[in-house]
Structures are given as structure tokens and as C-alpha cells.
Amino acid sequence: MTKSAFVTIIGRANVGKSSLLNALVGEKIAAVSSKPQTTRTKITGVLTKGDTQFVFIDTPGMHKAKTKLSEHMVKTINESVKNVELVIVMVDVTKNISDSETALINSVDSKNSKVVLCINKIDLVSKDVLIQKMAEYSTLFDFDEIIPISVLNNDGLDLIMDFLDKNAQEGPHYFSDDAITDQPEKVIIAEKIREKALRFLSDEVPHGIAVGIENVSEHDNKQGNAIMDIEAVIYCERESHKGIIIGKQGSMLKKIGQAAREELEDFFQIKVNLKCWVKVKEGWRNKEGLIKNFGLSYK
């Protein structure tokens, strides 16, 4: 008998949702950085263990919408908790409960969904603080289970999987058993490049960045080894940001490209020839056509 479980991961920005997805699937699928709004759309991770297939849906962090892009992100969050079997509400034990977090938790359909609260970053607080935080959250919602975790230390993740496995339903596997995501190849490539830009650039630049993949192809070199050729464009909103992204004599762009190439080679298990350019698209985050072109509109 095969079973499946669709699991939506929700929470505010920077609580570790993408890190949890990557840890549970065992592959780095979702971009991770310390900057808010790193995740801009739904990211699906797939894990098949024996007869059970788990489909994890990572969502953007809940925030106040200020641009058309962020409106799409908020809509993605709200729609992702509808008609879903299992919901992981992820919170940061070091942060106070916010109004937006309370509203997000209350938007979950407790009648039709099993809901587990995962309190992350427990390695940063004392046991007394953790107990107090568990008590505070338990007054907000009737969670089916509360699990303290540290994604960084891989602590408590087995308890999450036990909960999900226990609540998986009889049904078919919707993806092949060796699948790890439903993300198209170009989306994975773009996200890995954007993550490196987030890592290396100053705070005022990253929110205005998008990555477009112009071409992906393969060829064999003279030694007969396969090479993946990738042509990518990093888009920014201001001419001044373009200079920052390129850096002095191209140093920053080279740094981003090298780090992205190394991770892409590890992910695809093939040598990569990555070429990156930088172009300005002023105000793209408020232009529906460009948001759609970048694959960031609500679907």
C-alpha cells in the first residue's frame, strides 16, 4: 500500500522554512540566506521513503505587501494553506509573537488539516525560555503537536518525520520515487545564482534582483566530457545597483558566478560553464509582465 503526504511549511521571514525543507528532503532545493524574503514563490521538495511519498511546499515568509511582487508572495502564502492535509507552522524561539504571525496561524483550517508547530533555533535559548514560548503559542491555536527543533543541529527533525508519517494518507505517489523537486531546471539554476547574490551583496541591493536564464545546453569538450553551458542575466532596478553587482573590474560578478558555478556542478553532477550579465529593469517589482516573466507571479 502506497501513501502520500502533502505538507505546507508556513511562517514569517527568516524562521528557517527553506532550511527545514532542504534538511528534510536531503538536498539543497530552496535558496537560503539571512536576508528577508529570500523565498519569493512556492518551492516544492519531494522525499520518498519506502511506500510513503512526502511532498513539501515551502512558502514565502509572511510580511506586509509593499510592491506587486510582494502581493503575489502574500497570495501564495494564503492559498497554500487551503485544502492541505498537513501544515508545519514554523516559528523562531528567539522572536516575540507578532500580529502577522498570529493572523497567519489563525488562517489555517484546523478542521481539515493536521497542524504541527515547529519551534526552531532551540539551540539559542534556555529550557525555561523554550517552555515559556511553547505555552504562549499553545494559547493561540490547538496544535496537533508542538515540536522544538534546531534545523542547524539537525535536532528534532526525526520527530517531524514521525508526525508526518503517522498522518500520511493512503494514495498514489504523484512524483517518481527518485524525484526531489518539481522545479524546472532553469528555476533551480536561477535560484542558486540569486542566492549567491544575496549572500555577497549589501543590504539595499538584493530585494531588487531577479535572475533570468537565457540558455541552458550541453556539449562535450575535446576529452569527451559533458559540459553544461548556462547563460544568465541578473536584473536589478537601478543603474547604481548594476555597478555594485558588477564590482570593481568585475570582481563581485565573478565572485557570485564562481560560487554559483561550484554549487551547480555539485547539484547537477556535471561541469558547468556559467556566463552572467547584469541588466537594469527599473521598477520591475511593480510590473506584472516582468514578474510573470521571472516566474514569480502567483499560480
Side-chain angles (χ1 to χ4, degrees):
M1 179 185 72
T2 60
K3 296 192 296 181
S4 63
F6 281 78
V7 187
T8 295
I9 307 171
I10 62 171
R12 61 183 180 185
N14 292 106
V15 295
K17 298 185 300 299
S18 297
S19 296
L20 177 64
L21 170 72
N22 294 337
L24 293 178
V25 174
E27 291 281 353
K28 189 175 179 183
I29 299 166
V32 176
S33 90
S34 59
K35 294 182 173 68
Q37 298 176 35
T38 298
T39 301
R40 286 173 166 172
T41 188
K42 284 195 305 184
I43 303 291
T44 302
V46 182
L47 172 67
T48 303
K49 294 183 70 175
D51 292 330
T52 305
Q53 184 169 85
F54 303 90
V55 182
F56 298 98
I57 302 167
D58 182 24
T59 60
M62 178 55 80
H63 61 284
K64 187 175 181 180
K66 296 181 180 180
T67 65
K68 288 189 180 299
L69 172 61
S70 55
E71 287 174 7
H72 281 283
M73 292 164 66
V74 170
K75 189 171 184 180
T76 295
I77 302 165
N78 292 332
E79 292 297 320
S80 294
V81 297
K82 293 181 180 178
N83 303 315
V84 67
E85 302 161 6
L86 297 164
V87 177
I88 293 176
V89 177
M90 196 159 182
V91 301
D92 182 340
V93 72
T94 69
K95 305 292 184 183
N96 292 325
I97 302 172
S98 68
D99 291 340
S100 62
E101 193 170 52
T102 301
L104 178 61
I105 292 171
N106 288 330
S107 71
V108 178
D109 183 0
S110 59
K111 292 182 180 179
N112 297 307
S113 302
K114 293 287 187 179
V115 187
V116 56
L117 176 71
C118 291
I119 303 181
N120 192 27
K121 305 183 183 181
I122 59 171
D123 51 301
L124 300 178
V125 299
S126 66
K127 187 175 181 180
D128 288 343
V129 170
L130 172 59
I131 291 172
Q132 179 185 346
K133 195 65 69 173
M134 291 173 69
E136 290 175 6
Y137 276 104
S138 65
T139 64
L140 297 180
F141 192 90
D142 185 18
F143 295 102
D144 291 281
E145 198 159 326
I146 298 177
I147 304 176
I149 66 171
S150 169
V151 177
L152 181 65
N153 294 334
N154 203 36
D155 185 5
L157 304 194
D158 55 335
L159 299 177
I160 297 175
M161 290 306 302
D162 287 345
F163 174 84
L164 300 178
D165 187 52
K166 182 175 64 178
N167 289 286
Q169 301 294 314
E170 181 179 351
H173 290 179
Y174 294 89
F175 300 91
S176 63
D177 286 358
D178 59 353
I180 58 172
T181 183
D182 69 344
Q183 296 297 105
E185 184 178 69
K186 286 187 176 182
V187 173
I188 294 172
I189 294 169
E191 283 296 279
K192 290 188 180 298
I193 295 171
R194 187 171 68 91
E195 184 196 53
K196 300 305 176 255
L198 287 171
R199 178 192 297 179
F200 297 127
L201 293 169
S202 53
D203 288 340
E204 75 273 14
V205 179
H207 289 313
I209 281 180
V211 177
I213 305 302
E214 303 290 301
N215 179 63
V216 179
S217 59
E218 287 188 25
H219 76 276
D220 291 340
N221 62 14
K222 293 180 181 179
Q223 289 74 40
N225 298 317
I227 307 290
M228 177 183 280
D229 296 304
I230 300 171
E231 296 178 3
V233 178
I234 300 174
Y235 292 95
C236 58
E237 290 186 306
R238 300 179 186 176
E239 194 67 37
S240 60
H241 288 173
K242 180 179 179 180
I244 295 171
I245 296 168
I246 294 173
K248 189 175 181 180
Q249 297 180 332
S251 58
M252 178 57 72
L253 187 59
K254 182 179 179 181
K255 188 176 181 180
I256 294 168
Q258 181 175 333
R261 178 183 57 77
E262 290 173 356
E263 187 162 312
L264 287 166
E265 288 181 340
D266 183 62
F267 186 85
F268 290 111
Q269 291 297 294
I270 188 175
K271 285 290 183 182
V272 171
N273 174 33
L274 174 62
K275 295 180 180 179
C276 293
W277 293 268
V278 183
K279 294 182 180 179
V280 178
K281 290 281 187 184
E282 292 188 8
W284 70 263
R285 283 182 293 171
N286 279 308
K287 296 178 180 178
E288 291 285 356
L290 290 174
I291 292 170
K292 185 176 181 180
N293 286 344
F294 295 139
L296 300 174
S297 59
Y298 169 73
K299 299 173 184 178

